[in-house]
Amino acid sequence: MTGTVLVTGGAGYIGSHACVALIDAGYDVVVLDNLSNSSAVALERCGSICGTVPEFVQGDIRDRQCLDAVFSRHTVRAVLHFAGLKAVGESVAMPLEYYDCNVSGSLVLLEAMAKAGVKNLVFSSSATVYGDPATVPIREDFNLAPTSPYGRTKRMVEDILADWQVANPDWSICRLRYFNPVGAHPGGTIGEDPQGHPNNLMPFIAQVAVGQRDKLFVFGDDYATSDGTGVRDYIHVMDLVEGHVSALDYVCRQTGLHTINLGTGNGVSVLEMISAFERASGKAVPYEIVARRPGDIATCWADPTLAQTLLQWRASRDLAQMCQDTWRWQASNPRGYAS
Ligand code: NAD
Ligand code: UDP
């Protein structure tokens, strides 16, 4: 496939890896990002990896004039919409900012796409829309019950997209529900660069292993899981973005509304992740068991069958690769893009 793809949030963690996958697949890439949680250095490094730096527009998805200008300058074939705020705890403290950025921002984007006649969209949703599932593995037809403002923004945008697609049946929209993206490009030059205190497990472990933090706090060991710690479906970011390229190919061929999990189908506990990271890095990861984190669930992993059936995509990288690639990025960029 060829053509120009607009990547909102393309300077961020997943977006920057998506730029590499898209350029490698032959697409021209235009990134729109306000850099509220990212660095333009990531895009320069994408250029070093693939030989082409994505065109970068610094701007906000809520800025209609900016979007109109992007769509009038480029013949955009499809939009990959990653831009948004994503920290669960922060969303509890700042719900209006989350609804404004994630929901209003998506509305402005949709309006600008409609005006420009761009009808292909891949949206970053999240497994968080399922809340605490009754059973695992989680299928796409499970009940949705997000437990945070962040999760509710994702469900709202999913609903808006469904309504919009009913009203506009010539559109093609894919709602991708990601499980837990981890890892980095194998070259070690782009990766996850959390600002401040990492909320997620993998970047926290990596910062302990590299010596920036003394120890990991494990949030609870009394869950009904094999070792008592929380179990998640960690997916290598390169697998995830390859899934996006497959989804993009699919939406460019089929109109309709598609909702697809992107996960591996495997559950990994916190203690299993610590051991895997110690093996991959050769470093000790000291930890202390503390109380459960409010709002956490015991287990969450995907049934990835639909992605295999519709997209002919499945995750291929294992836990060791997730840890090795995270470690390569962390060890060569101990302070992220500021290193
Ligand atoms: P990220 O914060 O690294 O990337 C998001 C990017 O969007 C950043 O570069 C940020 O500067 C930009 N941005 C934010 N608000 C914007 C706005 N109003 N206008 C323009 N740009 C804006 O996050 P990520 O981990 O790469 O996540 C990408 C998407 O995937 C998000 O929508 C997130 O909710 C979703 N997601 C992420 C995870 C995860 O664990 N990383 C899991 C499920 C879903
Ligand atoms: N976790 C932990 N210590 C941390 C961060 C996370 O023990 O510093 C645990 C958390 O309780 C959960 C798992 O690691 O069981 C994954 O957490 P993360 O925040 O990365 O993903 P999410 O809970 O949003 O799926």
Side-chain angles (χ1 to χ4, degrees):
M1 285 272 181
T2 53
T4 299
V5 178
L6 174 63
V7 182
T8 74
Y13 170 44
I14 303 170
S16 56
H17 290 79
C19 289
V20 169
L22 289 165
I23 293 169
D24 281 350
Y27 289 98
D28 295 321
V29 174
V30 178
V31 167
L32 175 70
D33 198 304
N34 66 3
L35 301 184
S36 59
N37 195 37
S38 52
S39 162
V41 175
L43 297 174
E44 290 163 23
R45 297 202 182 167
C46 290
S48 313
I49 294 168
C50 4
T52 309
V53 183
E55 181 167 334
F56 175 50
V57 178
Q58 184 167 354
D60 197 293
I61 50 167
R62 290 162 292 186
D63 180 345
R64 179 63 194 274
Q65 281 187 337
C66 173
L67 282 171
D68 286 347
V70 169
F71 284 119
S72 66
R73 268 203 311 275
H74 300 277
T75 306
V76 173
R77 179 148 192 213
V79 177
L80 294 197
H81 178 27
F82 294 100
L85 303 176
K86 63 162 184 177
V88 171
E90 186 183 66
S91 79
V92 175
M94 304 165 46
L96 296 188
E97 282 84 345
Y98 272 68
Y99 289 112
D100 182 41
C101 182
N102 294 4
V103 182
S104 305
S106 298
L107 283 177
V108 177
L109 174 66
L110 272 184
E111 286 164 0
M113 288 177 67
K115 182 181 171 211
V118 179
K119 300 175 181 175
N120 297 321
L121 173 66
V122 177
F123 171 62
S124 300
S125 189
S126 167
T128 196
V129 296
Y130 296 113
D132 194 356
T135 57
V136 281
I138 301 172
R139 281 197 323 270
E140 290 82 352
D141 60 359
F142 276 25
N143 188 40
L144 301 188
T147 56
S148 69
Y150 166 66
R152 284 187 279 277
T153 67
K154 291 294 178 190
R155 184 179 61 184
M156 282 182 193
V157 176
E158 285 205 5
D159 286 346
I160 290 167
L161 294 176
D163 289 342
W164 178 251
Q165 205 284 326
V166 168
N168 298 278
D170 57 337
W171 276 56
S172 184
I173 298 175
C174 189
R175 307 181 299 188
L176 294 177
R177 294 181 181 152
Y178 314 159
F179 281 67
N180 290 59
V182 297
H185 185 273
T189 56
I190 60 172
E192 186 170 12
D193 181 17
Q195 310 297 305
H197 186 96
N199 298 305
N200 295 113
L201 179 65
M202 188 63 129
F204 206 108
I205 289 181
Q207 290 190 4
V208 172
V210 84
Q212 272 177 28
R213 297 184 187 273
D214 292 341
K215 62 182 167 189
L216 171 75
F217 297 98
V218 175
F219 299 140
D221 67 349
D222 56 351
Y223 287 105
T225 61
S226 58
D227 60 22
T229 64
V231 169
R232 297 289 184 275
D233 185 341
Y234 298 95
I235 174 170
H236 197 298
V237 67
M238 295 307 297
D239 278 326
L240 185 79
V241 298
E242 287 165 13
H244 283 69
V245 174
S246 302
L248 176 62
D249 183 46
Y250 189 71
V251 297
C252 290
R253 284 186 286 110
Q254 318 259 348
T255 56
L257 176 72
H258 319 287
T259 308
I260 305 174
N261 286 339
L262 291 183
T264 64
N266 300 317
V268 172
S269 76
V270 176
L271 297 184
E272 286 167 345
M273 181 61 98
I274 293 171
S275 302
F277 204 91
E278 288 182 331
R279 280 194 299 277
S281 63
K283 302 283 178 188
V285 178
Y287 68 87
E288 179 185 338
I289 308 284
V290 295
R292 291 181 178 194
R293 183 170 62 178
D296 261 0
I297 59 176
T299 47
C300 173
W301 72 84
D303 181 338
T305 311
L306 192 63
Q308 292 165 18
T309 310
L310 295 183
L311 308 180
Q312 283 78 56
W313 168 91
R314 70 169 69 211
S316 64
R317 294 160 178 91
D318 64 11
L319 187 60
Q321 273 175 289
M322 298 180 210
C323 295
Q324 284 154 11
D325 291 338
T326 302
W327 177 241
R328 193 173 300 109
W329 153 252
Q330 184 72 49
S332 7
N333 305 270
R335 308 217 165 267
Y337 291 111
S339 298

